[in-house]
Every structure is written in structure tokens, then in C-alpha cells.
Amino acid sequence: MFELDETQRSLEQAVRAWCEKNLAPTVPALEKGETLPFDLLKTLGRDLGIAQMLVAEAERRLARLRSGEANAGAAGEADTREGRGLGGDPMLSSVLLKEISRVSPGVALTLISTLGCAMAIVAQGSAGAIERYAIPVLSFDKVGAWALTEPGAGSDAFGGMRATAAVHEDRIVLSGQKTFISNAPFADVFVVYARVILDDGPGPVRGVVVERGTPGLETGPPLRKMGMHDAPTGEVFLQDCAVPRENLLGSVVREPSARGGAALETLNLERAVMPAMCLGIIERCVEESVRYAKVREQFGRPIAEFQAIAFKLARMALSLENARNLVFKLAWAQREGKLDARLASLAKLYCAEEAVRVALEAIQIHGGAGYMAELPLEKLARDAKMFEIGGGTNEIQLQTIARSLLG
Amino acid sequence: MKIIVILKQVPDSETKIKVKGDGSGIETDGIKYVISPYDEYAVEEALKLKEKAGGDSTVTVVSAGPDRTVESIRTALAMGADAAVHVNDPALEGADSLGVARALAKAIQDNGFDIIFAGKQGIDQDNSQVPSAVAELLDIPQVNIIAKFEITEDKSKATVSRRIEGGEETIETSLPALFGCEKGLNEPRYASLPGIMKAKKKPVKTVDLAGLGLDAGEVGAAGSHVKILKWIPLPERQAGKILQGMETAEASKELVRLLREEAKVI
């Protein structure tokens, strides 16, 4: 259970080979914004058969929904058997994301953002929404974005949410503003989270599917940021943006617990995949550092022979081992249906903190060379910082863990 | 069409090879093994042919090697090959190219074949002998180092080209035949995730020399015509000499003198 099985190992090999050949040479252009990651993702989806699998899974869900359409309300309930990712094994998604993140965490972020949008639609959308919006995103023909954060609603994403979805008989009218949304500047399909407004007042927060081109939807240009330069991030503006009623994900019924509901589930899933991305950063940084420390000579010997460096490497190996174990545990928990907010937060917090620390240590071991953009380390460090913020800050993870302890 | 691919598992080209202290072989610990890159072109060409030929065409991978070879066989199956024959016999450790070729040829014959693809050479020992020997043993034509492959509509002939100095040589051959594949022939596909998942269920037949009706004393190490006496690591590179503090003319003279008298290369 603490080792990849043959299937997972084969995928690891295939993705690594793919990334070395296709992704690594493109990273400099991606970093400079000279090219966008979406065509590359399409190639990835095609070459590794991932698009084909994702579409097939969505089509199975679609067929079930259609055959059971007589059973009213079926569309609103998430299928518990699904959401385990590729091939029904969450570890396969982890391996995929880890491998991409070894080269570019930003491209991995773009991937989970586009797929996160589609998966939210597949899990809770109507048959029509799955067919029209989710499948073209899963086949990588269209780009998806998942929009929760607002200028005034970051950590307090649900409590502070101001975006509204007014429910009418045949349509939903959205208003509000979203920010820091991955893929937003170029996305074709958006799942926008907003508070449902009913006749008798505010209802639950729900996702609503909006297509680019819908009057009232606008996006801003890519925002400049510290890292993740290869993952375009931007704002979404909604003003009296009307979409068909069937674009609503889930029901408008208020739940007993007022918190995020389905959006929170997607957020947990997001937290559950980010550790794998952090693991990619840690693994790469450890490998590069060990290799370098053995060949780089100062004062007449390899720097690995200095305890100051050797002990750094030992601590980095410790982080790697722990992060890897957490990723294995997350996959196990997902398979067993035991993934809860506590574990997702705990793993994300640890892996994000260690990714930042290990990446900075890797730079330190490489010295001046590590600080240069010629090596991948400074990018990995900049990208790593995002994981301490996106998908819930470290502080929010701590609060979630504490709440699980204290009730 | 029964399409055969001969595949060899070799150490990854990025692996640092260390010779054992006693010179009896190489250290195998920590070596990452992969499909010999030229064999990947063979797999890809076989898959392309299968797609083109359609019908009940199959691609069967035939490989000789120890247990670990299965992993490379599975990769080829994940790329899309249908079945595999794994010749696994300890007696083959230390067999020469002819011995290995005999084992492979027999396995191929037992399986049946219409066409055979192989890499032009394995990238470990670079003997480039096995494909040719297999073709001879099966008494079929062979063209090695092909960079283009085409087959006639009725699948009775193939036209291939080889890069030669200053040009290209086009050869037409009857089938069945064996082709040794060169870089540039195609762009090998990746093992896709659906392919990887399907590969687990594809048949891999394991046979030993006795199962092939071959005599280990003849085909295996014991019958080898070639014996590796000793493995010697490459001598460590000597530090270079830099001529400093001299005028160019003087330094040139000194350089020529050193090349002549010390290095003895001119």
C-alpha cells in the first residue's frame, strides 16, 4: 500500500516521458506568457488517453441519468461511486498530477481547474448540462474554470459571498464578481458559485454553469502574480447574466447545515489533489539536490560531504517520505469513502508547507545557480507558495483540523 | 496478419553503468530498465501496420530476458500490442547473440508470423546481430536500419528505405520478412492510461528453453560461441593541461610539441 502498483507505475513512467518531451521544453515560453497551456493539455489528454477515459466516464453517468430520468430529482444527487477520478483509482490522478508538477505545478493547476469545473457539472448537473458543457471540457476541446473566491470572500468564501443567483421559472440570473480564478481569462465554461435567492429570501450557495458569450459575463485579463505564471488567473464579472434554469447544479432547497454543501465537497476534493502536486515539487527538489550535492565541489570535495548540506538533504528526504505517505493515505481514504475534511486539510497543510520549505532548501543547496531561472528550482519555489493560499490558506486548514479535534 | 515485434529490455540510457569489482559484469542494483529505444520504433510500426491492415491482425511481442523483462513487455502491451511471448530461462544469461536469436526464432515460429519488426540494435551491447540472425534462422528476407515502411494493398510486398551516405536506398521485398527499425521511422506513441489498464488482462506466455524444445547446453551460455572474458570500466579521464602565461605563438609551439611528444597523437 505504500508503493505504486504496476498500473500506477506504468502511468508514472508514461507521464514522465511525456512531460520530459512535451512539457519541459515549453515551460520557459509558458512562464513568459508567450504561449498558453491549453493546447498542451489537449495533447496530454489525447496522447495518454485521459480525455477518452474522462469522456467515457461522463457518458456513463449521462446514460444513467437519461435512463433514470423518470426518477425525479436523480440529477440533483451526487453519485457516491463517482468522484474517484481516473479509472476509479484516485492514486492514478495523484500520479498524473505529481508528474506534471515535477515540471510545472502551474500546468497541473490549469488541469485541475478545467477538470474541476467539468467534474462539478458531471457530479451534479442535469443530463443536458453534462452533455453541453462538461463533455467538451473533459475532451479538452473547451477550457473550464471553477469560480468561488470573491474580492470580499476569500477564506470566508461562503459566509462572505455576495454573488447572487436569482431563481426564476425558466432561468437563473447571476450577479457578482469573482477573482483569482484559474483559467478565467481564457475559459469557455464557468461554474460560478453564488447564493441562490428565493422568493422568501437567501437560499443555499450553488454552482451555476455559464458559458462564455453569455450577455452579462465578462472576464478580466490575466493577473500578474508571484508564481504559477503558466496558469492564467483572472477575474469574472457577472451583471444580470441570465442562463437556463437547468444550468443550476443541485437543488435550491436549503440544507440543515448552512455551510458550503456541494461547493465544499469540490473544495475538499481540490484539497485532496493538491498534496499530490506538492509531492511532485518535493520529489523533484530532493532528486535535483541530491544529484547536485554529489557533483558540486567546493573546498576540494563534493558539498554533500559537508554536514550542513547532508543534514538538509536528510530533512528534505523526511518531508518527501511524509508527503508521499499522506498522498497514499488520501488515495486510500478516497477509495474507502473515508476522505473527510480533517484528513484533506491535514494533508494539504503539511504538503504545502513542506513544498515551500523543500523548494527553498533546494535553492539554497544549489546556491547562485539555484536562484537563476535556468534551473527549475526557483519556479518550483514560487509555484509552491500558491499551495499555502489557494484551496484554503494554511490558517484555514489549521482551523478545520482544530475544529475536528474540538468539535 | 500476424505481426511480431522482437523486444529487448536494456538499462535506461541515463543510468550510470558501474562495472563490478571483479570484472564479471555490471552492477545491476539501482538500474532502471526500459524498452530499447529502437524497439519502440518497432512496436510503433507494428501497431501502425495493425491499424492499417485491420481485420484480425494481431501484434505479438517476443522477448527474451529475466523476470524483470515483463515490465517492458507490459509497456508494449499498454501501447497497444495484443499478446506476448516471454522467453525466460536462466541458461540464457550469458548466451551469445546467436543463442538468443535461436530462442527467439523458435518462439516466433511456434507463434506463427507474417512480418517481424525489431529495433536495429539493442542500446546496451550494440551487437546488432539478433534481428539478422533471427531472419536467417527463419529463412526469410531482412532489411535492417529502415527509415520508411510501406506495404502493398495485398500485403505480399513491402517497400522500405534506408538512409545511406548521401542519399536513400529503396528496397522492395517479399513478405514474410524481418525489418530492423531506425530512429525517424515513426514517433512511438505513449502507453495510454486505458492501454495500461487493458494491458493487465492481455496474455503473456512464458516459456523456457525446454518448452521451446531447445537444448540449454546449445542455446544457453554453455553453448555460447562468444565469451565475455572481463568487463573493464572506462579509464577515468585525466585532467587536462592548460597552457598559461604564454604568447599565442609560443603557446602554439608548445601545444604542438606536447601533442607530438606526450600525447603522441600527431
Side-chain angles (χ1 to χ4, degrees):
Chain A
M1 109 148 255
F2 294 110
E3 265 183 356
L4 297 181
D5 66 23
E6 194 182 296
T7 305
Q8 296 155 357
R9 209 167 49 241
S10 302
L11 180 68
E12 184 181 55
Q13 263 176 27
V15 184
R16 187 163 305 180
W18 189 91
C19 287
E20 272 167 18
K21 181 144 181 243
N22 300 280
L23 179 55
T26 320
V27 168
L30 284 165
E31 279 285 292
K32 285 185 211 141
E34 291 166 359
T35 182
L36 291 169
F38 306 111
D39 285 346
L40 203 62
L41 287 182
K42 192 171 178 175
T43 314
L44 172 88
R46 187 198 60 209
D47 287 354
L48 298 175
I50 290 164
Q52 176 197 340
M53 267 182 118
L54 290 168
V55 168
E57 278 169 28
E59 279 173 346
R60 276 198 295 277
R61 164 94 181 144
L62 191 60
R64 267 202 305 283
L65 281 182
R66 291 241 156 100
S67 68
E69 215 136 58
N71 312 333
E77 294 159 25
D79 189 328
T80 51
R81 283 165 300 173
E82 278 155 13
R84 289 188 195 174
L86 286 172
D89 175 9
M91 199 60 201
L92 291 173
S93 304
S94 294
V95 165
L96 172 71
L97 291 169
K98 181 199 77 155
E99 284 303 316
I100 298 173
S101 302
R102 282 172 58 100
V103 181
S104 170
V107 169
L109 179 67
T110 302
L111 177 66
I112 63 163
S113 304
T114 192
L115 294 184
C117 160
M119 305 261 195
I121 301 171
V122 172
Q124 300 181 296
S126 62
I130 293 175
E131 190 165 41
R132 197 161 331 123
Y133 306 117
I135 289 180
V137 172
L138 294 171
S139 65
F140 296 97
D141 290 312
K142 287 191 172 173
V143 175
W146 192 82
L148 177 68
T149 301
E150 298 182 2
S155 288
D156 188 14
F158 299 102
M161 188 172 289
R162 294 175 68 177
T164 55
V167 178
H168 300 273
E169 204 163 302
D170 60 337
R171 67 206 156 91
I172 291 172
V173 180
L174 289 160
S175 286
Q177 183 184 347
K178 299 284 171 183
T179 193
F180 309 144
I181 307 305
S182 296
N183 296 352
F186 304 99
D188 306 297
V189 179
F190 299 80
V191 169
V192 174
Y193 285 84
R195 188 157 299 282
V196 169
I197 303 298
L198 302 167
D199 291 340
D200 58 348
V205 167
R206 287 287 176 260
V208 181
V209 187
V210 189
E211 229 179 335
R212 185 176 290 280
T214 309
L217 170 82
E218 299 215 14
T219 57
L223 300 167
R224 291 191 63 223
K225 49 194 189 295
M226 173 180 174
M228 299 283 185
H229 293 164
D230 36 14
T233 306
E235 290 169 297
V236 180
F237 306 97
L238 301 141
Q239 197 173 13
D240 298 325
C241 178
V243 298
R245 171 81 191 249
E246 71 158 12
N247 287 16
L248 179 75
L249 303 180
S251 75
V252 296
V253 181
R254 292 190 186 90
E255 291 152 342
S257 75
R259 288 185 51 77
L264 196 65
E265 268 171 36
T266 308
L267 205 57
N268 275 346
L269 213 58
E270 194 182 6
R271 284 173 194 172
V273 296
M274 284 184 171
M277 299 160 74
C278 295
L279 174 60
I281 298 174
I282 296 170
E283 196 181 81
R284 176 85 187 271
C285 287
V286 172
E287 283 175 18
E288 296 285 345
S289 300
V290 169
R291 188 181 311 145
Y292 187 74
K294 286 202 264 188
V295 297
R296 169 72 176 169
E297 291 190 8
Q298 286 292 280
F299 305 101
R301 52 187 158 146
I303 60 170
E305 288 179 16
F306 295 102
Q307 206 173 56
I309 302 297
F311 278 17
K312 269 191 208 298
L313 293 172
R315 286 228 168 263
M316 289 160 78
L318 179 63
S319 306
L320 174 59
E321 190 71 21
N322 285 334
R324 186 175 284 146
N325 286 344
L326 280 169
V327 169
F328 273 114
K329 180 155 186 187
L330 279 172
W332 167 82
Q334 273 171 279
R335 267 195 300 271
E336 301 288 319
K338 287 181 180 169
L339 176 66
D340 55 14
R342 186 196 71 95
L343 180 61
S345 288
L346 200 140
K348 193 215 166 231
L349 172 67
Y350 181 83
C351 294
E353 283 186 344
E354 292 312 292
V356 172
R357 206 182 58 78
V358 168
L360 289 173
E361 285 288 60
I363 292 174
Q364 194 66 21
I365 289 169
H366 284 73
Y371 196 68
M372 297 296 121
E374 183 97 16
L375 292 186
L377 305 168
E378 61 85 33
K379 171 186 163 51
L380 292 177
R382 284 186 287 104
D383 286 10
K385 183 62 194 172
M386 197 286 303
F387 294 105
E388 294 197 313
I389 299 165
T393 60
N394 285 0
E395 293 69 26
I396 288 296
Q397 310 306 336
L398 283 168
Q399 198 183 39
T400 306
I401 299 163
R403 195 181 287 143
S404 78
L405 294 173
L406 306 171
Chain B
M1 257 192 129
K2 282 192 170 177
I3 307 163
I4 302 286
V5 177
I6 300 177
L7 182 144
K8 184 177 191 184
Q9 189 186 49
V10 297
D12 188 359
S13 56
E14 280 176 27
T15 302
K16 257 196 162 170
I17 300 292
K18 269 196 204 141
V19 173
K20 277 188 194 165
D22 62 0
S24 65
I26 58 167
E27 300 274 6
T28 50
D29 281 358
I31 289 187
K32 191 181 145 211
Y33 290 94
V34 295
I35 298 178
S36 182
Y38 295 111
D39 297 352
E40 286 189 353
Y41 301 118
V43 174
E44 177 63 33
E45 205 56 31
L47 294 174
K48 276 169 68 183
L49 176 58
K50 180 193 159 171
E51 284 159 7
K52 195 178 162 202
D56 53 358
S57 291
T58 55
V59 174
T60 303
V61 173
V62 180
S63 186
D67 294 349
R68 59 172 156 76
T69 311
V70 174
E71 195 146 323
S72 293
I73 290 175
R74 290 269 177 223
T75 303
L77 294 175
M79 288 169 77
D82 301 288
V85 180
H86 178 198
V87 185
N88 187 353
D89 196 314
L92 280 174
E93 282 290 317
D96 59 12
S97 304
L98 183 59
V100 173
R102 282 201 169 116
L104 291 170
K106 188 65 190 355
I108 291 167
Q109 198 152 38
D110 289 354
N111 183 83
F113 63 94
D114 294 310
I115 190 166
I116 304 171
F117 293 100
K120 67 165 182 168
Q121 71 197 83
I123 63 147
D124 48 359
Q125 294 185 34
D126 294 315
N127 288 328
S128 318
Q129 290 180 337
V130 167
S132 300
V134 168
E136 284 304 308
L137 290 164
L138 294 172
D139 197 21
I140 56 172
Q142 52 163 307
V143 189
N144 212 349
I145 324 184
I146 64 163
K148 255 187 221 165
F149 175 87
E150 270 168 50
I151 192 165
T152 53
E153 210 48 53
D154 67 354
K155 293 162 203 146
S156 67
K157 278 182 198 158
T159 310
V160 299
S161 41
R162 317 171 68 224
R163 283 188 216 117
I164 54 171
E165 202 155 333
E168 212 178 66
E169 185 181 42
T170 303
I171 296 171
E172 189 186 271
T173 172
S174 61
L175 294 177
L178 180 146
F179 302 96
C181 302
E182 163 72 311
K183 188 179 174 176
L185 175 63
N186 54 45
E187 191 66 39
R189 67 195 67 189
Y190 295 89
S192 73
L193 183 54
I196 290 167
M197 300 186 74
K198 276 187 220 146
K200 283 189 286 190
K201 295 181 197 115
K202 291 179 177 172
V204 178
K205 190 175 145 195
T206 307
V207 287
D208 57 10
L209 293 175
L212 290 170
L214 296 170
D215 178 2
E218 210 175 301
V219 177
S224 177
H225 299 279
V226 177
K227 197 166 178 193
I228 295 173
L229 300 176
K230 198 172 164 68
W231 293 71
I232 304 164
L234 285 174
E236 259 189 55
R237 229 173 95 181
Q238 301 291 316
K241 201 175 263 184
I242 297 172
L243 302 177
Q244 280 168 323
M246 285 184 244
E247 290 297 322
T248 310
E250 189 192 349
S252 309
K253 256 188 208 163
E254 178 62 7
L255 177 66
V256 171
R257 189 191 67 80
L258 286 170
L259 287 173
R260 194 178 169 82
E261 290 172 16
E262 274 191 22
K264 298 196 168 75
V265 292
I266 53 173

